């Protein structure tokens, strides 16, 4: 049993111009693939993880043997984060959420625009590499936060609804040092149907 790299659900060029083709190729085929390979190497021979999803392993990260815990945290986090990332984007995406998710965002952040500002600010303030997130926290409330490296909100008992990758590998070829421009452009490829599905999933599991 081994984890597998999920295929990109659209063409490499599908998210142009927000995310360029070459970035998508390297990001999916090299970076995400490396997380999967390194995760499988770390877990090799450890039958207690057979049949567990990567999400379950991350939720119980403190139960992972200490000698491989950092490798699982980094590469398992990298695998889970990217598997979500490809799904919450789509060509001709963008716009605004609707229904229960839209209501929860407005009541938590004041408005959709204020949520966007907070989400992007968290991405800007994340020094070095990491992710900016919208999560369901331990109390079942929406919260915006960022994490370092490939750390997943799942490790803190939270459920990630959506997240943007602010590692330089996600944007540097097109945007170089202009992370803010990348963060702003990213909203044009958002798949709100998938994010609403994750919101329902997270709320019902709470
Ligand atoms: Mn990445």
């Amino acid at each position: 049993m081994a984890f597998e790299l999920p295929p990109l659900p659209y063409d490499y060029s599908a998210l142009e111009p927000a995310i360029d083709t070459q970035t998508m190729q390297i990001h999916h085929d090299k970076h995400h693939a490396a997380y999967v390979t390194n995760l499988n190497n770390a877990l090799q021979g450890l039958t207690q993880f057979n049949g567990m999803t990567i999400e379950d392993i991350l939720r119980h990260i403190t139960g992972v043997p200490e000698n491989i815990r950092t490798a699982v945290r980094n590469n398992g986090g990298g695998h889970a984060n990217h598997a979500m990332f490809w799904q919450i984007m789509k060509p001709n995406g963008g716009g605004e959420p609707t229904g229960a998710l839209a209501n929860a965002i407005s009541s938590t952040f004041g408005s959709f625009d204020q949520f966007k500002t907070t989400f992007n600010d968290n991405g800007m303030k994340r020094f070095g590499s990491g992710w900016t997130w919208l999560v369901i926290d331990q109390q079942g409330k929406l919260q915006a936060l960022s994490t370092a490296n490939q750390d997943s909100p799942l490790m803190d008992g939270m459920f990630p609804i959506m997240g943007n990758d602010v590692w330089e590998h996600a944007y540097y070829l097109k945007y170089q040092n202009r992370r803010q421009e990348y963060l702003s452009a990213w909203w044009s490829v958002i798949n709100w149907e998938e994010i609403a599905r994750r919101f329902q999933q997270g709320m019902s599991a709470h």
Side-chain angles (χ1 to χ4, degrees):
M1 189 222 70
F3 289 102
E4 286 176 11
L5 178 66
L8 205 60
Y10 34 72
D11 195 78
Y12 296 112
S13 63
L15 305 182
E16 294 264 12
I19 306 180
D20 61 284
T21 303
Q22 192 186 11
T23 293
M24 290 299 289
Q25 283 168 336
I26 297 170
H27 201 175
H28 178 270
D29 293 4
K30 305 295 181 191
H31 290 279
H32 189 175
Y35 297 128
V36 173
T37 299
N38 293 335
L39 174 65
N40 286 332
N41 288 341
L43 295 177
Q44 201 161 27
L46 299 174
T47 52
Q48 68 264 42
F49 297 105
N50 282 0
M52 283 179 78
T53 64
I54 189 55
E55 288 79 11
D56 284 336
I57 293 174
L58 293 170
R59 282 189 190 97
H60 304 103
I61 189 70
T62 53
V64 173
E66 248 181 272
N67 63 321
I68 60 161
R69 195 179 301 159
T70 300
V72 172
R73 176 186 185 135
N74 289 338
N75 295 291
H79 175 38
N81 294 344
H82 288 85
M84 174 210 70
F85 188 56
W86 313 129
Q87 295 293 332
I88 64 161
M89 301 189 289
K90 68 171 189 179
N92 305 310
E96 295 193 11
T98 55
L101 173 60
N103 294 337
I105 286 174
S106 292
S107 67
T108 304
F109 299 98
S111 69
F112 177 65
D113 281 344
Q114 280 178 276
F115 160 62
K116 273 174 75 170
T117 300
T118 301
F119 186 95
N120 285 356
D121 282 353
N122 288 343
M124 280 304 291
K125 289 178 191 147
R126 171 48 58 189
F127 185 77
S129 297
W131 289 74
T132 175
W133 299 100
L134 177 67
V135 304
I136 300 173
D137 68 16
Q138 300 91 335
Q139 283 72 46
K141 305 282 188 202
L142 289 187
Q143 200 182 127
L145 53 88
S146 73
T147 59
N149 304 313
Q150 293 295 351
D151 285 357
S152 166
L154 293 165
M155 299 188 310
D156 295 314
M158 299 184 287
F159 185 87
I161 299 171
M162 62 187 284
N164 193 1
D165 188 341
V166 298
W167 284 57
E168 284 187 344
H169 70 222
Y171 63 87
Y172 204 86
L173 290 178
K174 180 180 170 91
Y175 296 95
Q176 292 86 47
N177 61 314
R178 304 184 308 278
R179 186 187 286 188
Q180 181 74 63
E181 254 181 68
Y182 161 71
L183 284 163
S184 300
W186 185 70
W187 296 90
S188 69
V189 293
I190 294 297
N191 181 348
W192 286 114
E193 294 78 18
E194 172 62 11
I195 293 165
R197 190 195 65 75
R198 294 182 63 89
F199 173 68
Q200 293 301 337
Q201 182 190 347
M203 292 304 278
S204 60
H206 192 77

